[in-house]
Amino acid sequence: MSLMQIPRRVDYGLRAIIYLSTQDPEKCCSITEIAKQQNVPKKFLEKIIQDLMRRGLIRSKRGSCGGYSLARSANEISFYDVIEALEGSITVNACMDEEFSCDQLPRCTMVGVWSEIQRKVTEVFTRTTLADLRRTPCRDIVSASSLSSAA
Amino acid sequence: MSLMQIPRRVDYGLRAIIYLSTQDPEKCCSITEIAKQQNVPKKFLEKIIQDLMRRGLIRSKRGSCGGYSLARSANEISFYDVIEALEGSITVNACMDEEFSCDQLPRCTMVGVWSEIQRKVTEVFTRTTLADLRRTPCRDIVSASSLSSAA
DNA sequence: TAGTTATCCCACTAAATTAGTCTGATTTAA
DNA sequence: TTAAATCAGACTAATTTAGTGGGATAACTA
Ligand code: SF4
Ligand code: SF4
């Protein structure tokens, strides 16, 4: 009963890379550390992080005292980069996928709506970088707890 | 490999209700007719249409020569109405769902992004009614074929 | 009243996706 | 050499999606 929801994979991946963006760029964070801090199943996260590696968003150091760090600076990594690395491109409906074509397309009146949605969603994701998230703890719930911890 | 895609169910349901909006309001269209015109599996469509019925978007006439027609006028039925009738509310990430709460929420920096996406998507879907689709055959592909058939 | 055509209702299956685990090899610092 | 880490890939379990089938019920027509 919930539509157009991003998968856990992507949420977890974003948690991880956002965590890295808050750490010293030279520091290597282990899977164990990230998983614990962000409350993500460790082995699952391991696989997710491998995908971010292959796409060149983060880099790794192997062996003891190894771990991960951002491959480029936080303002050069967008939400879209992460999402696309993990799940491929966003296609809000089947006909928005280039590889697929619908037989109704020539006389379909709703494709305009899908492309409008797709354009807007993509715009937000490409515009938002990890650096943008630095300051805002949680836009809506800036209440007692978060204020006191910031002091 | 395609993210945030609406399910076939919704696409089929929209095809059906859009088709009804192009027909005489008094005419009853049978499942068979709609399924054939819109190229949707008949039995599957039957179930989808029942959901639209229960939500009061369309009405039916039973028996021989029965069928379906819009329950209200085309400009009073939005995309959002149809989508919500078929799949429930749109929640772009788990934490946007009221029934679910994430333990990371208090210190999460990305909820703002999800709510922005959610707001924009919802805005387009609520703003767009079936009546809006009447004229536009297909915004992008207004090429030879559609132009000649319009003449 | 019988026959036909349609909605209505609910159980069921088959395929795909998602979320996650298990095993084990390889690399490197201490 | 041992411990701590990444790396690689097969595997499973649960859920969701897409679709089917069978049959009851209702209304129109002859
Ligand atoms: S019916 Fe229209 S909106 Fe749906 S998949 Fe086909 S072209 Fe796209
Ligand atoms: S981590 Fe943040 S964005 Fe993800 S579900 Fe929790 S609150 Fe929402």
Side-chain angles (χ1 to χ4, degrees):
Chain A
M1 284 308 240
S2 65
L3 199 55
M4 300 184 74
Q5 192 165 316
I6 63 132
R8 303 316 293 144
R9 253 178 84 70
V10 171
D11 191 68
Y12 293 164
L14 282 164
R15 290 192 208 186
I17 204 164
I18 287 168
Y19 177 76
L20 290 182
S21 79
T22 65
Q23 301 303 114
D24 186 320
E26 297 311 311
K27 179 190 168 196
C28 280
C29 304
S30 71
I31 294 272
T32 309
E33 175 186 347
I34 304 172
K36 191 167 293 176
Q37 290 291 328
Q38 297 296 310
N39 194 27
V40 174
K42 189 174 157 183
K43 286 304 270 182
F44 194 23
L45 182 59
E46 202 179 322
K47 234 176 31 170
I48 294 166
I49 283 198
Q50 281 312 311
D51 285 337
L52 297 176
M53 281 284 300
R54 289 192 197 95
R55 290 311 202 84
L57 297 182
I58 62 183
R59 62 172 172 230
S60 68
K61 201 177 118 190
R62 299 188 63 168
S64 173
C65 289
Y68 302 91
S69 55
L70 293 188
R72 16 188 231 263
S73 63
N75 65 334
E76 290 173 316
I77 300 178
S78 71
F79 260 54
Y80 191 85
D81 292 331
V82 178
I83 292 170
E84 214 246 358
L86 294 178
E87 295 288 325
S89 60
I90 294 172
T91 55
V92 131
N93 195 354
C95 52
M96 297 287 106
D97 189 342
E98 300 201 355
E99 321 219 350
F100 178 86
S101 112
C102 174
D103 59 333
Q104 302 290 306
L105 192 69
R107 61 200 188 90
C108 179
T109 56
M110 56 176 158
V111 281
V113 180
W114 303 126
S115 61
E116 183 177 359
I117 298 277
Q118 177 134 337
R119 211 172 47 243
K120 292 201 166 171
V121 169
T122 307
E123 188 274 322
V124 175
F125 284 149
T126 42
R127 167 165 52 80
T128 309
T129 71
L130 302 188
D132 296 328
L133 303 179
R134 284 275 175 68
R135 59 209 66 163
T136 51
C138 173
R139 237 166 271 191
D140 311 83
I141 312 176
V142 185
S143 57
S145 58
S146 54
L147 284 171
S148 57
S149 67
Chain B
M1 282 309 241
S2 64
L3 198 54
M4 300 185 74
Q5 192 164 316
I6 63 130
R8 302 317 291 142
R9 254 178 83 70
V10 172
D11 191 69
Y12 292 164
L14 282 164
R15 290 191 208 186
I17 204 165
I18 288 168
Y19 177 76
L20 290 181
S21 78
T22 66
Q23 302 302 114
D24 186 321
E26 298 310 312
K27 179 190 168 196
C28 279
C29 304
S30 71
I31 294 271
T32 310
E33 176 186 347
I34 304 172
K36 191 168 291 178
Q37 290 291 328
Q38 297 296 310
N39 194 27
V40 174
K42 190 174 156 183
K43 285 302 272 182
F44 194 22
L45 181 60
E46 201 180 323
K47 232 175 31 171
I48 294 166
I49 283 198
Q50 282 310 311
D51 286 336
L52 296 176
M53 282 282 300
R54 289 191 198 98
R55 289 310 203 85
L57 297 182
I58 62 184
R59 63 175 171 226
S60 70
K61 201 177 116 192
R62 299 188 62 169
S64 174
C65 289
Y68 303 91
S69 54
L70 294 187
R72 18 189 231 262
S73 62
N75 65 333
E76 289 173 316
I77 300 177
S78 70
F79 260 56
Y80 191 85
D81 292 331
V82 178
I83 292 170
E84 213 245 359
L86 294 177
E87 295 288 326
S89 59
I90 294 173
T91 54
V92 131
N93 195 355
C95 51
M96 296 288 106
D97 188 342
E98 301 200 354
E99 321 218 352
F100 178 86
S101 111
C102 174
D103 59 333
Q104 301 290 307
L105 191 70
R107 60 199 188 91
C108 180
T109 56
M110 55 176 159
V111 279
V113 179
W114 303 127
S115 61
E116 183 177 358
I117 297 277
Q118 179 134 337
R119 210 171 49 242
K120 293 203 165 169
V121 169
T122 307
E123 189 274 322
V124 175
F125 284 149
T126 41
R127 168 165 50 81
T128 309
T129 72
L130 302 188
D132 295 328
L133 304 179
R134 284 276 176 69
R135 58 209 67 163
T136 52
C138 173
R139 232 167 275 189
D140 309 83
I141 313 179
V142 184
S143 55
S145 57
S146 53
L147 284 171
S148 57
S149 67

